[in-house]
């Protein structure tokens, strides 16, 4: 599948501080949904956030930045997503707008790979099919040096502040691990044949998550890995966050 659009991506996941800052200026943004037991500091990622809330955040951040909103309720792109309608009905994205939006699944994988073809953007020589579910600390030294995964995150205790691990070759931090990240796409089987700027099925039950989390073993952190469904747009969990693109 091919990508023809240029895009810029946030270098970190959206933090609780970012959420608080926007909320102070755009009062229609709901309060920070994070479970503070799992994101105890303001520079930890927002988590326990629904797909709906991520979309609303994107539109409100666009307004705050004087940019054209990406998300609408109608195919003619005349009724923007706002606090009155962000949890119901259909959603449409203006990919040509200047504002913020969730990445497509293809964009998220491209940025996570950063032009690499190995299982992770960093080469982990210890990784194999026989040990990919092993959570022993130190088993994957290269991977653990750049990502918060189950092996180095004290089990299921907490997320970590963003940007503490080295960035990938494109300057993006925590593209592996820490929290899963919402994508625009409905979850579905990849279409056959070549596609350009594919943005997922027209309809679905679940939205795509990418990137793995601190709660997961190495097999879930691969650049090609995608969630296996059961994540409708209203779903919340302690290890789900997001980042935006323009």
């Amino acid at each position: 599948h091919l990508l023809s659009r240029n895009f810029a991506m946030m270098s970190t996941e959206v933090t609780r501080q970012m959420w608080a800052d926007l909320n102070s200026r755009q009062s229609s943004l709901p309060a920070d949904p994070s479970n503070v037991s799992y994101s105890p500091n303001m520079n930890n990622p927002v988590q326990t956030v629904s797909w709906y809330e991520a979309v609303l955040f994107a539109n409100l951040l666009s307004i705050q930045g004087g940019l054209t909103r990406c998300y609408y309720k109608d195919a003619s792109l005349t009724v923007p997503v706002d606090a009155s309608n962000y949890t119901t009905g259909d959603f449409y994205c203006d990919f040509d707008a200047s504002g913020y939006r969730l990445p497509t699944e293809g964009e998220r994988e491209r940025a996570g790979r950063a032009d690499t073809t190995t299982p992770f953007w960093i080469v982990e020589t210890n990784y194999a099919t026989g040990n990919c579910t092993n959570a022993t600390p130190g088993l994957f030294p290269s991977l653990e040096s750049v990502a918060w995964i189950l092996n180095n995150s004290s089990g299921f205790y907490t997320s970590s502040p963003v940007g503490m691990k080295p960035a990938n070759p494109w300057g993006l931090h925590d593209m592996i691990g820490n929290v899963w990240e919402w994508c625009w796409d409905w979850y579905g089987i990849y279409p056959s044949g070549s596609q350009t700027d594919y943005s997922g099925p027209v309809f679905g039950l679940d939205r795509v998550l990418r990137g793995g989390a601190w709660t997961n073993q190495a097999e879930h952190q691969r650049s090609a890995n995608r969630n296996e469904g059961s994540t409708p747009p209203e779903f919340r969990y302690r290890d789900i966050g997001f980042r935006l693109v323009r």
Side-chain angles (χ1 to χ4, degrees):
H1 295 178
L2 305 174
L3 298 177
S4 70
R5 290 187 296 262
N6 293 324
F7 64 96
M9 177 175 277
M10 288 180 172
S11 62
T12 72
E13 295 148 340
V14 171
T15 65
R16 293 185 57 212
Q17 187 63 59
M18 292 180 199
W19 192 284
D21 289 345
L22 185 59
N23 179 258
S24 71
R25 293 163 177 80
Q26 299 288 334
S27 59
S28 64
L29 181 69
D32 180 359
S34 299
N35 181 331
V36 297
S37 296
Y38 299 105
S39 278
N41 302 307
M42 296 304 286
N43 58 343
N44 280 67
V46 166
Q47 35 78 282
T48 323
V49 59
S50 70
W51 183 91
Y52 291 134
E53 288 169 332
V55 165
L56 177 62
F57 183 98
N59 263 14
L60 291 176
L61 187 60
S62 297
I63 291 173
Q64 184 61 33
L67 304 170
T68 304
R69 287 170 286 192
C70 291
Y71 291 123
Y72 297 85
K73 302 299 296 178
D74 61 319
S76 58
L77 307 178
T78 60
V79 181
V81 172
D82 60 25
S84 71
N85 60 24
Y86 76 102
T87 63
T88 61
D90 297 325
F91 292 81
Y92 298 86
C93 183
D94 180 1
F95 288 100
D96 295 322
S98 62
Y100 295 92
R101 59 178 176 82
L102 292 170
T104 65
E105 187 176 10
E107 289 168 339
R108 180 58 177 73
E109 180 169 339
R110 177 77 192 282
R113 287 188 178 279
D115 284 340
T116 63
T117 57
T118 46
F120 319 100
W121 65 257
I122 193 168
V123 175
E124 177 50 75
T125 57
N126 286 355
Y127 181 79
T129 55
N131 66 7
C132 60
T133 61
N134 190 320
T136 301
L139 179 61
F140 305 113
S142 294
L143 181 59
E144 292 173 55
S145 73
V146 301
W148 298 110
I149 65 175
L150 188 58
N151 301 66
N152 63 357
S153 296
S154 301
F156 291 81
Y157 181 63
T158 181
S159 68
S160 295
V162 302
M164 292 184 66
K165 296 288 190 178
N168 76 3
W170 286 9
L172 305 173
H173 296 269
D174 301 311
M175 293 296 281
I176 306 171
N178 214 18
V179 291
W180 288 94
E181 298 175 16
W182 287 114
C183 295
W184 161 256
D185 309 39
W186 287 113
Y187 182 88
I189 297 172
Y190 288 132
S192 59
S194 178
Q195 302 280 328
T196 299
D197 297 326
Y198 180 67
S199 58
V202 176
F203 301 106
L205 298 175
D206 305 301
R207 295 287 183 173
V208 170
L209 292 170
R210 283 284 192 147
W214 92 88
T215 55
N216 300 125
Q217 304 98 320
E219 68 169 347
H220 297 289
Q221 316 293 345
R222 294 175 299 107
S223 296
N225 186 66
R226 58 207 302 249
N227 63 303
E228 298 177 357
S230 301
T231 52
E234 69 273 14
F235 185 72
R236 305 173 181 275
Y237 202 60
R238 61 189 175 188
D239 61 1
I240 296 176
F242 69 106
R243 77 176 79 207
L244 300 176
V245 302
R246 284 184 60 201

